[in-house]
Amino acid sequence: MKTKTYLPSTSLLLTALLICAPLAAQDKAAPTPEEAAEFIEQAEAALLRSWIERERAGWVQANFITEDTELMAATAAQRTIELSVDLAGKATRFDGLDLSSDLERKLAKLKLALVLPAPRNAEETAELARIAAAMEGAYGRGEHCAEDGECRDIGDLSRVLTSSRDAAEQLEAWRAWRTIAPPIQPDFERYVELGNKGAQELGFADLGSMWRSKYDMDPDDFAAELDRLWGQVRPLYEALHCHVRARLAETYGTDVVDSKGPIPAHLLGNMWAQTWSNVYDLVGPVDSDAGYDLTELLETEGVDEREMVRYGERFFTSLGFEPMPETFWQRSLFVQPTDHDAVCHASAWDIDWRDDLRIKMCIEITAEDFNTIHHELGHNIYQRAYKDLPPLYTDSANDGFHEAVGDTIALSVTPGYLVALGLLDSQPPASADLGLLLRMALDKVAFLPFGLLVDQWRWQVFSGEVTPADYNTAWWRLRNQYQGIAAPVERTAADFDPGAKYHVPANVPYTRYFLAHILQFQFHRSLCDAAGYEGPLNRCSIYRSEEAGKRLQEMLEMGASRPWPDALEALTGQRQMDATAILDYFAPLAAWLDEQNEGRTCGW
Ligand code: X8Z
Ligand code: ZN
């Protein structure tokens, strides 16, 4: 086994001494660049140990939710928070010193290492860690029990939204899931207070501002960058919205779907109306059907959960990546446990920063989960590519990159690829492209405003612009503004609808997914180029292209060692995130949507 070059040889005791030495004692002498280098080396070693402990405890909690595992995970998280906050404070000692750009970068990363900083106070840190674990646990255990005693979890209720075409039945499932959230709100309020206090002690205006500071640019410029990207794609979203609303109004009647207003949130085939491909059958072009349904192909083939993951793995090996380690197959969770609670929301893990990669996912045999498997494996492949970098660089270029890699691969799940696998007999003709593009747009374009608004809401909450009494009103205001979606029944301040979306109680920033939806098309366009492909982007699959694999690997192994524009340039030759790739991809669909929408009133 290769040894990590960055692991310092200093003993554990020395590490503890350096890190625990009171600030005053260290402050006596003016700091030197050598001390800064040594500090970082020691800090990285301590952080790595603490991250590994946190991941192990977090894994057990997420796989087996009980009071005990929740507390054990909270304790491990608390240790990481305390260590990071302490180190971030000590790092300020080197502010203003003339350091190498590498040391500067690591010190900056150290100050931003936490997603959830806590105040410098043991009780409050413990409280925050406990609350964070409890909120995720509450979401993971979430279920709605009817009067007859029948209980349904997120999987059961989502299946109703996916497959039912009865608006009343869908509404009932939509409401049922949202009953899990109000009990989480008191914890969430306290989390906002403590997280903000922690961020402020680290010098940020609030936790939202800290989250926005992680993009190698001024946080306000980053917010403006999001607006710019949204401006690029918004006309396409509005055209899609217009067409989908018109067809849903035909299906459900204008008393259910107002043909000039926002679309009711329960009719789009997804619990959060964030992706819409499950209603493709209702909105697809009559004369240009996509020609096949991947869910049906997988069912017909009798593929099981493990084989679904094998398909994903084989895509990556076809690009030249190593297969997943044996332990991945032994330790991952692929099937929802029936005898205990687990967090079913899909995730990818790298437990030991070496080879202990895993995914945790309650897989269903559907096209949606086929994509999600590629998404998760993308995380694992990234983690493995950067594992030999110094710990503070063991991350993606920015968090949108991490979310984009697996999705980029899933864009290569084309008809041609399915034929190569033997899942599909023959490729649908070019005339099926509008259907294929529309189905893809129902996932990728429909997602964009949702990807933006979750953190627009949280940023307003963290800044205090939105107070607890207005949490829910502000949520629906943004849902209306960005997505043109409305609650199907009256919601009040007693509801906590943002809490019914995993990433809110689980404290996972969400802007990353908006970025990923822009970046994955940029990556796809460049990798198709590298593979020597010519033709419409939606028919390009980089399957078996070692050239594309090499280009991807070059970016992945940079980890977070360079500002993200450098990583983007390595793969695409561009230094800006750019929505022209997603617009190129969907250009034929945009023209078709404009024809369809002629004579319709669009907007809401
Ligand atoms: O949370 C996820 C992944 C894990 S990072 C399954 N996604 C977002 C979501 O489900 O809301 C992927 C797309 C958006
Ligand atoms: Zn992800």
Side-chain angles (χ1 to χ4, degrees):
M1 196 157 110
K2 252 167 65 195
T3 48
K4 263 206 163 84
T5 47
Y6 59 82
L7 270 180
S9 50
T10 342
S11 75
L12 205 135
L13 180 66
L14 266 180
T15 308
L17 275 179
L18 183 87
I19 288 163
C20 304
L23 269 178
Q26 290 189 6
D27 275 346
K28 272 184 192 147
T32 63
E34 291 70 34
E35 273 175 68
E38 201 180 329
F39 168 78
I40 280 293
E41 190 177 306
Q42 308 278 353
E44 289 197 295
L47 279 172
L48 183 61
R49 272 196 301 276
S50 144
W51 291 339
I52 292 172
E53 275 175 32
R54 181 196 57 192
E55 292 304 284
R56 239 181 247 297
W59 173 265
V60 177
Q61 185 215 357
N63 276 269
F64 196 95
I65 311 174
T66 68
E67 294 72 16
D68 302 310
T69 58
E70 210 167 281
L71 280 176
M72 287 152 82
T75 305
Q78 180 189 341
R79 283 202 213 104
T80 303
I81 298 175
E82 279 170 348
L83 176 65
S84 304
V85 168
D86 185 53
L87 289 170
K90 292 195 168 111
T92 56
R93 184 164 176 264
F94 305 104
D95 286 353
L97 211 60
D98 190 18
L99 299 170
S100 68
S101 59
D102 184 57
L103 267 183
E104 290 276 12
R105 184 165 180 79
K106 285 185 181 162
L107 284 165
K109 290 264 167 217
L110 183 61
K111 292 175 192 165
L112 286 165
L114 285 170
V115 181
L116 184 54
R120 216 180 276 271
N121 159 332
E123 271 108 82
E124 287 182 334
T125 305
E127 185 187 356
L128 183 56
R130 227 173 26 241
I131 286 177
M135 288 197 297
E136 188 177 4
Y139 183 96
R141 273 193 292 259
E143 58 179 11
H144 177 265
C145 298
E147 276 169 15
D148 65 5
E150 193 212 336
C151 296
R152 290 175 301 168
D153 64 15
I154 181 62
D156 302 322
L157 294 167
S158 287
R159 270 188 295 278
V160 176
L161 292 193
T162 309
S163 43
S164 169
R165 295 293 176 252
D166 172 340
E169 193 179 40
Q170 295 179 81
L171 178 58
E172 196 269 326
W174 187 92
R175 293 175 82 148
W177 176 245
R178 281 159 179 77
T179 60
I180 68 125
I184 299 176
Q185 184 168 335
D187 271 353
F188 186 83
E189 289 175 24
R190 183 71 179 140
Y191 142 93
V192 170
E193 275 172 24
L194 292 174
N196 270 341
K197 193 170 166 196
Q200 280 150 5
E201 287 183 11
L202 290 174
F204 299 94
D206 59 62
L207 185 51
S209 160
M210 182 168 169
W211 286 5
R212 290 191 297 279
S213 301
K214 300 190 186 204
Y215 295 91
D216 298 309
M217 62 199 287
D218 177 90
D220 292 338
D221 291 347
F222 176 66
E225 188 64 357
L226 294 177
D227 291 343
R228 179 183 69 81
L229 292 167
W230 173 231
Q232 279 188 286
V233 292
R234 198 171 132 175
L236 177 60
Y237 176 75
E238 288 186 359
L240 181 68
H241 178 280
C242 192
H243 171 71
V244 167
R245 179 178 61 189
R247 296 289 288 269
L248 290 179
E250 281 166 27
T251 307
Y252 293 102
T254 44
D255 47 338
V256 180
V257 181
D258 171 358
S259 39
K260 297 208 169 79
I263 304 174
H266 62 310
L267 301 177
L268 289 155
N270 174 277
M271 186 55 85
W272 306 276
Q274 66 182 61
T275 49
W276 305 348
S277 62
N278 288 321
V279 298
Y280 172 74
D281 58 322
L282 302 181
V283 305
V286 195
D287 48 1
S288 171
D289 186 66
Y292 69 94
D293 177 293
L294 181 54
T295 301
E296 280 167 19
L297 299 180
L298 293 166
E299 275 167 6
T300 310
E301 189 72 17
V303 175
D304 69 12
E305 293 84 358
R306 232 159 234 276
E307 288 165 61
M308 293 262 282
V309 184
R310 284 285 182 198
Y311 277 117
E313 181 193 42
R314 278 196 294 269
F315 201 120
F316 283 97
T317 53
S318 90
L319 299 176
F321 291 93
E322 291 291 307
M324 302 308 283
E326 207 36 51
T327 50
F328 170 89
W329 299 100
Q330 292 156 355
R331 298 172 190 173
S332 288
L333 177 84
F334 298 140
V335 182
Q336 180 168 16
T338 50
D339 59 347
H340 61 265
D341 287 317
V343 178
C344 269
H345 190 87
S347 53
W349 301 63
D350 173 13
I351 301 282
D352 66 352
W353 267 248
R354 293 234 57 81
D355 300 303
D356 199 347
L357 303 167
R358 310 175 190 179
I359 68 173
K360 180 183 63 58
M361 194 177 158
C362 304
I363 297 176
E364 311 224 354
I365 312 303
T366 61
E368 195 171 334
D369 277 6
F370 197 75
N371 287 329
T372 304
I373 286 167
H374 290 76
H375 176 97
E376 298 308 332
L377 290 177
H379 285 308
N380 281 155
I381 296 293
Y382 214 149
Q383 289 159 340
R384 188 164 57 188
Y386 58 55
K387 71 176 172 150
D388 287 326
L389 293 177
L392 285 165
Y393 292 159
T394 55
D395 205 344
S396 50
N398 72 37
D399 54 6
F401 283 58
H402 229 310
E403 301 302 337
V405 172
D407 282 12
T408 303
I409 301 306
L411 289 179
S412 280
V413 177
T414 56
Y417 171 67
L418 296 174
V419 171
L421 294 187
L423 282 171
L424 186 63
D425 292 336
S426 62
Q427 290 204 47
S431 60
D433 271 20
L434 279 176
L436 290 165
L437 283 168
L438 181 65
R439 191 161 62 194
M440 189 63 94
L442 290 170
D443 281 339
K444 303 297 181 180
V445 178
F447 179 81
L448 291 161
F450 186 76
L452 256 190
L453 77 87
V454 175
D455 279 353
Q456 300 288 326
W457 179 80
R458 267 190 295 206
W459 295 350
Q460 292 178 6
V461 166
F462 290 136
S463 76
E465 186 184 335
V466 166
T467 56
D470 288 326
Y471 278 175
N472 218 42
T473 319
W475 173 256
W476 285 105
R477 193 164 53 231
L478 290 164
R479 294 267 270 168
N480 183 313
Q481 179 190 331
Y482 282 98
Q483 280 186 293
I485 299 282
V489 282
E490 198 196 336
R491 308 304 282 168
T492 71
D495 297 305
F496 180 43
D497 294 326
K501 176 66 197 164
Y502 170 74
H503 304 69
V504 173
N507 183 47
V508 181
Y510 210 80
T511 304
R512 57 184 62 180
Y513 303 108
F514 172 77
L515 299 178
H517 277 66
I518 304 286
L519 285 168
Q520 63 190 261
F521 287 92
Q522 235 177 315
F523 294 172
H524 179 66
R525 185 169 63 181
S526 296
L527 292 174
C528 289
D529 255 1
Y533 173 84
E534 282 168 19
L537 277 175
N538 70 307
R539 292 279 184 146
C540 163
S541 179
I542 60 166
Y543 184 53
R544 290 187 180 144
S545 168
E546 296 209 357
E547 205 39 55
K550 220 171 103 236
R551 278 282 277 284
L552 183 58
Q553 171 68 15
E554 275 164 17
M555 180 187 81
L556 300 184
E557 66 192 17
M558 291 169 76
S561 64
R562 309 279 316 146
W564 64 260
D566 291 4
L568 186 59
E569 191 172 19
L571 179 58
T572 67
Q574 293 177 280
R575 295 186 62 80
Q576 260 211 329
M577 293 189 270
D578 172 17
T580 62
I582 187 172
L583 296 179
D584 279 359
Y585 186 102
F586 290 112
L589 179 73
W592 181 82
L593 285 171
D594 286 346
E595 275 168 34
Q596 299 297 308
N597 290 334
E598 229 167 85
R600 290 173 178 157
T601 309
C602 295
W604 52 87

